[in-house]
Amino acid sequence: AVIFGRGLDEGLVDELEALLVTSDIGIRTAEKLLEGLKQDLSKQELKDPAAVKKRLEEKIRGIVAQKVAPLALDKGPTVLMVIGVNGVGKTTTIGKLAARYTQEGKKVVLAAGDTFRAAAVQQLEIWGERAGCVVVKGPNEADPASVIFEAIQKAKAEKADLCICDTAGRLHTKVNLMEELKKLKRVMNKAHEGAPHEVLLVLDATTGQNAITQARQFKEAVEVSSLALTKLDGTAKGGVVVAICDELGLPVRYIGIGEKVDDLRDFNADEFVGALFE
Amino acid sequence: NLEDKLSEILKKVRGHGTLSEDNIKEALRDVRLSLLEADVHFTVVKDFINAVKERAVGQEVKASLTPTQDFIRIVSEELTKIMGGRAAELDLKKKPPVIILMMGLQGSGKTTTTGKLALRLKGQGKKPLVVPADVQRPAAIDQLKTVAGQVGVDCYDTKPGMKAPDIAKLALAQADRQGQDVVLVDTAGRLAIDLELMEELREVKGILNPHYTLLVVDAMTGQDAVNVATEFKNQIGIDGVVMTKLDGDARGGAALSVRAVTGAPIYFAGIGEKMEALEVFYPDRIAQRILG
Ligand SMILES: Nc1nc2c(ncn2[C@@H]2O[C@H](COP(=O)(O)OP(=O)(O)OP(=O)(O)O)[C@@H](O)[C@H]2O)c(=O)[nH]1
Ligand SMILES: Nc1nc2c(ncn2[C@@H]2O[C@H](COP(=O)(O)OP(=O)(O)OP(=O)(O)O)[C@@H](O)[C@H]2O)c(=O)[nH]1
Ligand SMILES: [Mg+2]
Ligand SMILES: [Mg+2]
């Protein structure tokens, strides 16, 4: 517990710090938030744990409740590019999104843009079957750019509303793979001017402070539009999203709460903050 | 090395010459911040700092002529106590087949690691059988079969619709008949709080009676590492750990948390997506990395 000498009671600071840090908000962000409370609250309020907690919840809610309009499906087709490091839940999230939009009567085309990992295409194909939509794939070890190009062309020809492009998981530290991502973005624009209309970065809620680095690097490489936070059905709180929203202003569109096709929800700031504090 | 890393952190403290109780506090704060930023669990850090503090403010440092060096030595010793001094090795000199069960959260790298481990053991003269016991993830069976083909090892022919415990039984029987001397069983990713899936894992373990039950942990895991390690240890039992995706820039504090909570050796480090990307885990290297 740091410099809260006059103001917050030390026991309360310890308790709040433990709560914030163990939810992966990060020690720096936690300290910044607790420091900020001193400006926001009066001397009396700082002595009242209930008032302090309420103000802290409001502060965090203010940071993560970023305004984002629903995905506009009027771009003939809207192209959604899904990216992120290995194993975070990109392919599964795409399957869930495809099912949601197909159930809403929209025409969806999926691009099997992970041509590298074992059985990645088969995995997306099964999701396509579950969702009831077309999956465009290439031959074994095809260039992901050509698969994505072909998928967008097909989506245009079939007057699809949405084309979701799956990409291979990649660590942001791998320069050549990040360059490939930039190339894929250029190819999408070539296939359909204005594409990709949305770049969705998928983050795993069990990830610690490295998620901030991921968000920074992916944003720098391909201009991320929004985030999906998966595996919130576990014990991890995904608190690292607070620092990401604060620093990069990226909105969280969706959360993943399980492995089944319906386990996708729109991000709700109140629920998210509520879960952090329970 | 570790000492250099700590010296760096304590640079501001060194300027004071002798180590007083005040600048020990400051040094401890810096070490604490560094560990928390590296994703080491809040409580693990608290216990660690207290252990260091107890020794640092005690006679050990007070009477010393080289207090800063002693402080550094204490931190390094306490870290080594948790992480372990040297690399741990799997003991494969057991009556064959040696049975290895892979478990962990969704997406941690189990299937990939199963392939990597099979390749490594093949290189050591073993005849591995990999067993796809994940029957829920789409194309999981395909994934392990493909990987087995890439590394040139036998793969049990799991059919969709089979149940994990039956797969385990049949695969063991096959290894018996065909003479494979290591059996590596890949399982579905699961949450430790998923009662049904943890029960399934217990059942599979009961059938296999594995020599090694390995928890596969993603190096970028944050505070949740303690929950995961504790639950898997209490409910299933952990003989060892594999930490994956260490080729990224995550500091890997989860390694310290998992070690502190389970005491299980971390045998291997996954350092890439290719089948060759598996190496022995070096505790002192990761301790340096965690300190930043
Ligand atoms: N519990 C839970 N599991 C999830 C969720 N989202 C995805 N998963 C699981 O996480 C694992 C990895 O999901 P994938 O969709 O293959 O992840 P990916 O990012 O496409 O992985 P790569 O393509 O290999 O980089 C699978 O076992 C999924 O079922 C979620 O919201 N909750
Ligand atoms: N860069 C890197 N990627 C890895 C490493 N180990 C695994 N991966 C990647 O991480 C992703 C997930 O790996 P999987 O083997 O499918 O993970 P899993 O634990 O079997 O996943 P589930 O079965 O869904 O729980 C894949 O994209 C792998 O290529 C590693 O050490 N480094
Ligand atoms: Mg994928
Ligand atoms: Mg797997």
Side-chain angles (χ1 to χ4, degrees):
Chain A
V2 193
I3 355 98
F4 305 98
R6 48 118 286 198
L8 286 169
D9 144 71
E10 175 126 5
L12 181 59
V13 170
D14 284 352
E15 182 196 337
L16 291 175
E17 211 180 45
L19 182 91
L20 294 174
V21 172
T22 54
S23 63
D24 283 311
I25 276 187
I27 185 68
R28 299 248 176 246
T29 305
E31 288 184 346
K32 192 167 153 221
L33 286 168
L34 294 176
E35 247 318 290
L37 287 177
K38 279 162 61 180
Q39 333 291 44
D40 302 353
L41 300 177
S42 71
K43 262 218 180 129
Q44 273 111 299
E45 288 173 309
L46 284 173
K47 295 291 179 211
D48 171 12
V52 170
K53 282 186 189 151
K54 181 162 181 293
R55 182 63 200 134
L56 191 56
E57 285 193 45
E58 287 171 0
K59 268 173 113 49
I60 296 173
R61 191 192 180 290
I63 296 170
V64 301
Q66 309 255 343
K67 285 246 169 291
V68 59
L71 210 54
L73 296 187
D74 55 354
K75 309 281 188 257
T78 295
V79 175
L80 170 63
M81 181 187 195
V82 180
I83 63 180
V85 303
N86 308 70
V88 295
K90 297 176 293 300
T91 307
T92 305
T93 301
I94 290 171
K96 293 170 180 176
L97 282 171
R100 172 195 277 203
Y101 282 107
T102 304
Q103 282 165 27
E104 289 178 8
K106 304 286 184 248
K107 184 155 171 58
V108 181
V109 171
L110 302 182
D114 180 354
T115 57
F116 168 75
R117 206 209 68 213
V121 174
Q122 291 96 307
Q123 184 186 5
L124 187 68
E125 285 188 298
I126 292 172
W127 277 108
E129 283 169 36
R130 286 179 183 178
C133 68
V134 168
V135 176
V136 174
K137 61 178 175 175
N140 232 348
E141 313 237 314
D143 175 7
S146 64
V147 177
I148 284 174
F149 188 88
E150 193 190 326
I152 295 176
Q153 299 293 43
K154 177 155 180 97
K156 275 162 89 177
E158 309 217 331
K159 305 239 183 302
D161 301 296
L162 179 66
C163 177
I164 312 179
C165 303
D166 194 8
T167 62
R170 69 202 64 220
L171 294 181
H172 50 286
T173 48
K174 314 233 156 140
V175 178
N176 58 329
L177 296 182
M178 295 306 276
E179 284 305 309
E180 180 189 72
L181 217 53
K182 292 180 193 171
K183 173 177 171 213
L184 291 181
K185 199 177 177 206
R186 289 194 296 271
V187 165
M188 288 176 195
N189 190 46
K190 262 215 202 129
H192 183 38
E193 182 152 5
H197 305 92
E198 185 85 5
V199 177
L200 181 70
L201 173 64
V202 181
L203 298 172
D204 184 330
T206 64
T207 305
Q209 299 307 297
N210 195 251
I212 304 173
T213 313
Q214 292 173 24
R216 277 188 206 128
Q217 303 280 49
F218 276 96
K219 183 166 191 283
E220 187 174 326
V222 290
E223 265 316 311
V224 172
S225 331
S226 57
L227 308 171
L229 185 63
T230 62
K231 308 178 195 175
L232 274 174
D233 45 318
T235 45
K237 303 285 174 107
V240 71
V241 132
V242 177
I244 295 174
C245 290
D246 199 27
E247 179 182 325
L248 304 173
L250 293 173
V252 182
R253 270 195 187 278
Y254 313 110
I255 61 170
I257 55 163
E259 303 189 69
K260 303 210 226 34
V261 72
D262 309 314
D263 291 331
L264 187 77
R265 298 280 180 278
D266 286 341
F267 180 72
N268 179 310
D270 291 319
E271 287 176 359
F272 179 77
V273 176
L276 283 182
F277 278 79
E278 63 190 27
Chain B
N1 62 21
L2 192 58
E3 273 69 11
D4 298 332
K5 199 103 268 175
L6 287 166
S7 285
E8 256 177 78
I9 296 182
L10 300 177
K11 248 210 270 307
K12 353 189 207 152
V13 180
R14 296 194 88 122
H16 297 250
T18 59
L19 213 57
S20 70
E21 189 145 341
D22 277 340
N23 49 35
I24 283 179
K25 260 192 171 178
E26 190 182 335
L28 284 174
R29 170 158 192 264
D30 287 346
V31 173
R32 177 179 183 259
L33 280 179
S34 191
L35 294 175
L36 288 175
E37 286 182 318
D39 291 323
V40 181
H41 191 269
F42 190 83
T43 317
V44 171
V45 173
K46 194 177 230 171
D47 295 341
F48 178 80
I49 296 295
N50 284 338
V52 170
K53 186 174 188 188
E54 218 166 292
R55 289 181 59 188
V57 300
Q59 279 314 108
E60 206 164 338
V61 177
K62 272 213 187 90
S64 165
L65 297 170
T66 57
T68 315
Q69 268 88 306
D70 287 322
F71 184 83
I72 290 176
R73 179 180 49 77
I74 290 168
V75 174
S76 158
E77 282 177 0
E78 289 300 320
L79 253 170
T80 306
K81 252 192 216 159
I82 303 176
M83 289 308 298
R86 56 191 135 86
E89 259 205 75
L90 285 183
D91 173 12
L92 300 171
K93 293 188 238 73
K94 312 196 188 262
K95 176 167 174 291
V98 174
I99 301 167
I100 300 175
L101 174 63
M102 313 289 290
M103 62 183 186
L105 292 185
Q106 290 87 348
S108 56
K110 297 175 292 301
T111 306
T112 306
T113 303
T114 303
K116 290 177 180 180
L117 199 43
L119 180 63
R120 182 184 175 87
L121 295 173
K122 180 181 167 194
Q124 294 174 353
K126 298 290 177 193
K127 186 164 176 266
L129 173 72
V130 297
V131 181
D134 176 356
V135 286
Q136 69 174 36
R137 169 176 154 149
I141 301 167
D142 281 329
Q143 187 184 358
L144 190 61
K145 282 185 176 168
T146 302
V147 156
Q150 286 171 357
V151 303
V153 299
D154 297 326
C155 183
Y156 178 77
D157 187 14
T158 304
K159 295 274 188 281
M162 291 175 79
K163 292 223 179 291
D166 299 323
I167 295 164
K169 276 200 201 89
L170 294 169
L172 278 186
Q174 178 173 311
D176 228 18
R177 291 192 306 274
Q178 297 186 349
Q180 285 101 353
D181 51 15
V182 185
V183 177
L184 297 135
V185 182
D186 182 24
T187 62
R190 70 202 63 218
L191 298 175
I193 54 171
D194 186 325
L195 301 174
E196 203 171 311
L197 284 185
M198 291 306 270
E199 179 52 32
E200 175 201 76
L201 188 57
R202 247 191 306 279
E203 195 181 342
V204 167
K205 185 177 180 190
I207 290 164
L208 294 173
N209 201 6
H211 298 90
Y212 289 102
T213 298
L214 302 180
L215 179 69
V216 179
V217 178
D218 192 324
M220 54 190 187
T221 309
Q223 300 288 304
D224 200 44
V226 156
N227 301 330
V228 174
T230 305
E231 283 309 306
F232 273 90
K233 175 179 179 202
N234 293 343
Q235 295 193 42
I236 311 291
I238 300 174
D239 298 311
V241 175
V242 177
M243 182 144 276
T244 61
K245 307 178 204 173
L246 278 165
D247 45 318
D249 58 2
R251 296 264 291 276
L256 195 66
S257 303
V258 171
R259 279 285 301 173
V261 157
T262 68
I266 303 179
Y267 288 106
F268 300 109
I271 53 164
E273 298 191 64
K274 302 215 171 76
M275 289 295 117
E276 294 73 19
L278 187 75
E279 61 178 31
V280 163
F281 182 87
Y282 294 103
D284 55 331
R285 277 193 216 163
I286 194 81
Q288 282 182 55
R289 175 176 173 149
I290 289 173
L291 279 174

